[in-house]
């Protein structure tokens, strides 16, 4: 179970356009089902309109309920989050609705108006919750403080009740939070999580190379997208301003031609009739309009370039975080591998301090050699007693040799210092 809180919003209509339709389309093929809570209608569109009306009349609801209108106005009444199951799980409609209701209780928002929208466009089943933070009776806004932590604790309990823990890192983080530690989980996207899961078993250099190739591909895609947006913007500018610019250029040319014609008698007539002054004023106005069009076009180009710069900076920050996360993964693998190798060497050489009960289960190499020498001695003795003929060593003699080896091993684990208690055993 993976809960993910979305950014707050101010438009229920905008939320409906996204969650109730396919991406970048007006179709709704990905919507598996919808369900309303605390709204007297089963229609998703009507429910969103009711929630929008409630949010817009928050002040009137507070006045009618006798609530003091303190604090600033609620700017983002739309609260959204999603609940996602694993790919091998197939919850029913009732299971998904019940999980959403339980999560709302964990958040303390089960009395708010909400719309549940289940999507079927991904391999993992998931459901979205669109909630109105404004209470339909007294108009108070639901607090969202520590909502991520509440959903994390709820998700851990949900997994314990439904088949066992799947996200062990979340259990570790919640346990550390209970001890008073500050833990912030890495907010990975589904695509990044799948990438880490696919590459975490590779060698360090292979991980770094794969990450470098992926980031180079991201940069190329961002540049390609910027080029496409640039071309689209230029087409829009030509469509919107090509004809006005052409008309202004033609009028400016005509006016300048009238002003530039030579002739003493013509100049005197134009000055006496005021035509010269009118043409000068008209030419100034035409040039001003032309300059305004150029300014608006440059502003739209600059806005696109600034958006591209922000996207590029955001991508660089994300890439730096990804590289740092990869280095932590590599370091964790290295330390875990060194600890595993050290533990294996210690187990084989019996360098781990142990008591007499645990020591007999893992003999050290000197004890093995001692046991082999005792068995070989017993075999030679049996061979000598039989006149040089080789025969099988009896089980009784083998057991006696093993007991001698065990006794030597237990004596090695006894305390050497006389000043210590006789009952002391190594940890």
């Amino acid at each position: 179970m993976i809960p993910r809180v979305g950014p707050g919003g101010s438009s229920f209509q905008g939320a409906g356009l996204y969650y109730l339709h396919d991406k970048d389309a007006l179709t709704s093929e990905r919507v598996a089902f919808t369900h309303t809570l605390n709204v007297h209608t089963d229609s998703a569109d009507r429910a969103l309109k009711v929630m929008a009306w409630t949010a817009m009349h928050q002040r009137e609801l507070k006045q009618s309920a006798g609530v003091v209108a303190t604090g600033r106005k609620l700017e983002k009444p739309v609260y959204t989050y999603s609940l996602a199951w694993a790919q091998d799980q197939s919850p029913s409609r009732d299971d998904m609705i019940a999980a959403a209701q339980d999560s709302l209780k964990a958040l303390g928002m089960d009395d708010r108006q909400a719309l549940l929208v289940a999507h079927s466009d991904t391999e993992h089943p998931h459901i979205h919750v669109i909630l109105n933070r404004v209470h339909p009776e007294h108009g108070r806004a639901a607090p969202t403080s520590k909502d991520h932590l509440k959903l994390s604790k709820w998700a851990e309990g949900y997994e314990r009740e439904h088949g066992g823990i799947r996200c062990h890192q979340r259990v570790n983080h919640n346990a550390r939070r209970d001890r008073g530690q500050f833990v912030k989980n890495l907010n990975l996207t589904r695509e990044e999580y799948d990438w880490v899961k696919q590459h975490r078993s590779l060698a360090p250099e292979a991980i770094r190379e794969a990450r470098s190739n992926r980031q180079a591909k991201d940069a190329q895609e961002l540049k390609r997208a910027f080029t496409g947006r640039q071309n689209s913007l230029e087409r829009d500018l030509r469509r919107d301003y090509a004809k006005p610019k052409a008309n202004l250029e033609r009028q400016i040319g005509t006016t300048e031609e009238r002003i530039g014609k030579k002739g003493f008698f013509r100049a005197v007539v134009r000055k006496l009739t005021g035509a010269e002054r009118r043409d000068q004023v008209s030419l100034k106005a035409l040039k001003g309009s032309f300059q305004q069009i150029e300014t608006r076009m440059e502003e739209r180009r600059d806005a696109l370039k600034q958006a591209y710069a922000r996207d590029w900076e955001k991508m660089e920050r994300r890439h730096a975080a990804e590289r740092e996360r990869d280095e932590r993964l590599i370091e964790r693998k290295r330390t875990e591998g060194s600890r595993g190798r050290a533990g294996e060497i210690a187990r084989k050489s019996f360098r781990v301090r142990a008591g007499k009960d645990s020591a007999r289960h893992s003999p050290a190499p000197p004890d093995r050699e001692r046991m082999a020498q005792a068995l070989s001695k017993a075999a030679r003795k049996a061979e000598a007693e039989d006149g040089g003929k080789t025969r099988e060593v009896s089980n009784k003699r083998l057991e006696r040799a093993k007991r001698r080896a065990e006794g030597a091993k237990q004596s090695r684990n006894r305390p050497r210092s006389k000043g210590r208690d006789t009952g002391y055993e190594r940890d």
Side-chain angles (χ1 to χ4, degrees):
M1 170 60 68
I2 304 295
R4 188 180 298 277
V5 179
S10 58
S11 173
F12 288 95
Q13 182 181 5
L17 287 174
Y18 177 76
Y19 291 107
L20 295 177
H21 300 88
D22 297 331
K23 294 182 179 180
D24 301 328
L26 295 179
T27 57
S28 57
E29 295 180 357
R30 67 170 178 166
V31 179
F33 67 86
T34 60
H35 185 78
T36 59
L37 297 174
N38 300 320
V39 183
H40 301 292
T41 179
D42 294 332
S43 172
D45 295 329
R46 292 179 181 175
L48 291 174
K49 292 179 180 179
V50 170
M51 287 190 281
W53 186 93
T54 304
M56 286 188 295
H57 294 79
Q58 180 186 14
R59 185 174 181 179
E60 290 80 356
L61 292 173
K62 284 185 176 182
Q63 291 177 353
S64 62
V67 178
V68 179
T70 58
R72 60 183 181 181
K73 182 180 178 181
L74 181 63
E75 297 179 354
K76 295 183 177 181
V78 183
Y79 181 80
T80 61
Y81 66 94
S82 63
L83 304 176
W85 285 258
Q87 297 180 3
D88 58 347
Q89 292 179 310
S90 55
S92 63
R93 170 175 177 154
D94 294 337
D95 294 337
M96 299 177 80
I97 294 175
Q101 291 175 332
D102 290 341
S103 64
L104 287 171
K105 290 181 181 178
L107 291 170
M109 301 180 184
D110 53 327
D111 56 348
R112 267 30 179 210
Q113 299 168 335
L115 172 64
L116 311 182
V117 183
H119 287 170
S120 59
D121 57 339
T122 58
E123 296 181 357
H124 56 279
H126 64 283
I127 187 170
H128 295 273
V129 180
I130 308 173
L131 181 131
N132 182 15
R133 291 179 58 191
V134 179
H135 197 279
E137 296 180 0
H138 52 67
R140 289 192 179 97
T144 59
S145 176
K146 298 182 179 180
D147 51 353
H148 296 77
L149 303 183
K150 295 177 183 178
L151 286 175
S152 178
K153 293 288 290 185
W154 171 83
E156 179 184 346
Y158 182 87
E159 286 188 348
R160 294 185 185 278
E161 295 177 0
H162 297 81
I165 297 297
R166 289 174 174 265
C167 183
H168 297 277
Q169 187 178 15
R170 176 169 54 207
V171 178
N172 181 31
H173 286 177
N174 288 332
R176 291 172 60 188
R177 294 187 184 107
D178 292 339
R179 294 194 295 267
Q181 300 181 17
F182 176 77
V183 181
K184 184 177 181 180
N185 188 27
L186 299 174
N187 191 15
L188 299 181
T189 62
R190 172 66 61 173
E191 184 180 3
E192 177 64 15
Y193 173 77
D194 293 337
W195 189 93
V196 173
K197 187 176 180 181
Q198 180 182 359
H199 295 81
R200 62 186 175 187
S201 60
L202 300 179
E205 293 302 326
I207 293 177
R208 294 188 181 99
E209 183 180 0
R211 176 63 71 183
S212 178
N213 295 336
R214 177 184 173 88
Q215 292 183 351
K217 183 179 179 182
D218 290 344
Q220 292 177 358
E221 289 179 354
L222 183 59
K223 291 179 181 178
R224 190 181 305 112
F226 172 69
T227 303
R229 290 197 296 267
Q230 243 182 348
N231 297 334
S232 178
L233 176 61
E234 292 299 329
R235 287 194 299 270
D236 294 341
L237 293 177
R238 287 194 297 269
R239 181 194 62 201
D240 297 338
Y241 299 111
K243 290 183 178 180
K245 283 183 65 177
N247 292 332
L248 288 173
E249 288 176 349
R250 186 175 59 255
Q251 294 176 15
I252 290 172
T254 304
T255 306
E256 288 179 344
E257 184 180 358
R258 286 200 305 268
I259 295 174
K261 284 185 178 181
K262 297 180 180 180
F264 177 77
F265 180 75
R266 184 175 182 278
V268 172
V269 172
R270 283 175 56 81
K271 188 173 183 180
L272 293 175
T273 58
E276 184 71 18
R277 183 175 178 278
R278 287 195 299 270
D279 287 343
Q280 292 290 347
V281 173
S282 176
L283 180 62
K284 184 178 180 180
L286 291 173
K287 289 184 176 181
S289 300
F290 188 85
Q291 186 61 37
Q292 289 179 0
I293 292 178
E294 290 288 344
T295 302
R296 284 197 293 268
M297 293 174 65
E298 289 300 323
E299 287 177 351
R300 294 179 62 174
R301 293 191 182 101
D302 292 341
L304 180 61
K305 292 178 181 178
Q306 292 175 5
Y308 173 69
R310 289 193 298 268
D311 293 342
W312 187 271
E313 184 179 359
K314 185 177 179 181
M315 183 194 67
E316 287 183 339
R317 291 198 301 266
R318 187 181 74 249
H319 285 178
E322 290 172 352
R323 290 192 296 269
E324 183 180 356
R325 185 163 54 245
D326 292 343
E327 293 301 325
R328 287 198 300 266
L329 174 64
I330 292 170
E331 180 64 20
R332 185 166 63 249
K333 286 178 58 179
R334 187 187 66 79
T335 55
E336 289 177 354
S338 61
R339 288 198 300 268
R341 289 191 297 273
E344 184 179 1
I345 294 173
R347 287 192 298 271
K348 289 182 178 179
S349 61
F350 201 66
R351 293 173 185 168
V352 178
R353 300 179 63 187
K356 62 180 182 181
D357 294 334
S358 60
R360 67 166 56 95
H361 299 297
S362 181
D367 296 330
R368 295 195 192 97
E369 295 175 1
R370 195 179 298 112
M371 185 181 297
Q373 292 174 2
L375 293 176
S376 178
K377 183 178 179 182
R380 288 196 300 271
K381 185 177 180 181
E383 183 179 355
E385 291 176 355
D386 200 22
K389 296 181 180 181
T390 304
R391 63 171 183 153
E392 296 292 334
V393 182
S394 64
N395 293 332
K396 186 181 292 185
R397 293 196 177 193
L398 290 175
E399 292 294 331
R400 192 160 52 246
K402 290 180 180 179
R403 283 197 299 272
R404 284 198 298 269
E406 292 288 339
K409 179 171 57 182
Q410 291 180 6
S411 65
R412 185 173 61 84
N413 285 331
R414 293 172 185 169
R416 297 289 188 266
S417 177
K418 295 181 179 180
R420 297 180 181 178
D421 296 334
T422 57
Y424 172 81
E425 294 181 359
R426 294 185 178 183
D427 295 333

